[in-house]
């Protein structure tokens, strides 16, 4: 069994290493490091593409729920699901109930709104702690999303109060 790998943390670590190299001021070292990352990405992407072609889309479908596999497939543009399906998958994987209002593919901005709660005063937002877990899920399933904007929750609908007249009871027969 392989050790757990977090795709988002790995990406952040690569960025940190490249930033440290850039901080040295040595342009040749930075260029070589960036080229190394590109070459390795191309190499692993080509190998992963062969695996995807070899197993076929039907065999791949059960693996799309795995965040690491989904992340690698999306990173290499090999995920057979469209971006909206992967956004929905990410929102299902996130702990907080959010609904998508729209995704701008040109800017990478996804607008979300907390789903209406079934009651309560509405003082707390379902999105208060949502940012991190939703962003983590989106980073795995839909890395095209570069920014999340939260729209205000819809005000709760008032409970339906049914008012009717009392049934007329017939007067006793005398």
């Amino acid at each position: 069994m392989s050790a757990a790998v977090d795709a988002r943390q790995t990406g952040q670590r690569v960025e940190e290493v490249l930033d440290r190299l850039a901080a040295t001021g040595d342009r040749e070292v930075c260029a070589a490091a960036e080229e190394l990352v590109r070459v390795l990405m191309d190499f692993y992407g080509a190998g992963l593409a062969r695996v995807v072609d070899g197993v076929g889309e039907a065999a791949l479908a059960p693996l799309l729920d795995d965040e690491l596999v989904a992340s690698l497939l999306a990173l290499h543009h090999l995920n057979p699901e469209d971006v909206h399906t992967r956004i929905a998958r990410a929102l299902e994987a996130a702990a907080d109930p959010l609904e998508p209002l729209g995704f701008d593919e040109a800017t990478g901005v996804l607008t979300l709104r907390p789903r209406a709660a079934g009651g309560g005063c509405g003082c707390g937002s379902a999105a208060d702690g949502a940012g991190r877990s939703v962003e983590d899920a989106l980073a795995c399933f839909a890395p095209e999303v570069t920014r999340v904007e939260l729209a205000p929750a819809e005000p709760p609908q008032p409970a339906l109060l049914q008012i009717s007249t009392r049934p007329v009871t017939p007067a006793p027969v005398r």
Side-chain angles (χ1 to χ4, degrees):
M1 188 56 76
S2 63
V5 175
D6 182 290
R8 185 175 182 145
Q9 287 178 344
T10 300
Q12 287 174 339
R13 286 182 54 211
V14 169
E15 287 295 323
E16 289 168 4
V17 170
L18 291 175
D19 288 345
R20 282 196 331 249
L21 289 171
T24 68
D26 189 333
R27 289 183 183 207
E28 286 184 37
V29 168
C30 290
E34 289 175 4
E35 182 181 358
L36 176 62
V37 170
R38 276 193 301 279
V39 168
L40 287 173
M41 288 283 298
D42 290 345
F43 177 71
Y44 286 113
L48 191 55
R50 285 187 184 180
V51 170
V52 168
D53 287 343
V55 300
E57 198 170 307
L60 190 61
L63 298 173
L64 297 178
D65 284 329
D66 182 285
E67 290 185 6
L68 180 59
V69 173
S71 177
L72 287 171
L73 292 173
L75 182 65
H76 293 286
H77 307 288
L78 297 171
N79 195 310
E81 296 177 327
D82 66 20
V83 68
H84 297 285
T85 301
R86 290 183 285 113
I87 287 171
R89 188 182 290 274
L91 294 177
E92 288 172 15
D96 301 299
L98 297 167
E99 66 178 311
L101 296 180
F103 175 61
D104 184 341
E105 293 186 31
T107 62
V109 175
L110 174 64
T111 305
L112 301 173
R113 172 177 58 207
R115 291 196 193 272
C121 68
C123 302
S125 168
D128 287 343
R132 195 69 176 155
S133 66
V134 169
E135 288 174 359
D136 287 346
L138 287 166
C140 290
F141 291 108
E144 299 90 339
V145 176
T146 58
R147 190 172 85 231
V148 174
E149 293 181 353
L150 293 175
E154 282 189 339
Q157 297 295 321
L160 180 61
L161 179 61
Q162 188 170 357
I163 301 174
S164 63
T165 60
R166 288 189 170 170
V168 178
T169 53
V173 180
R174 295 183 197 210

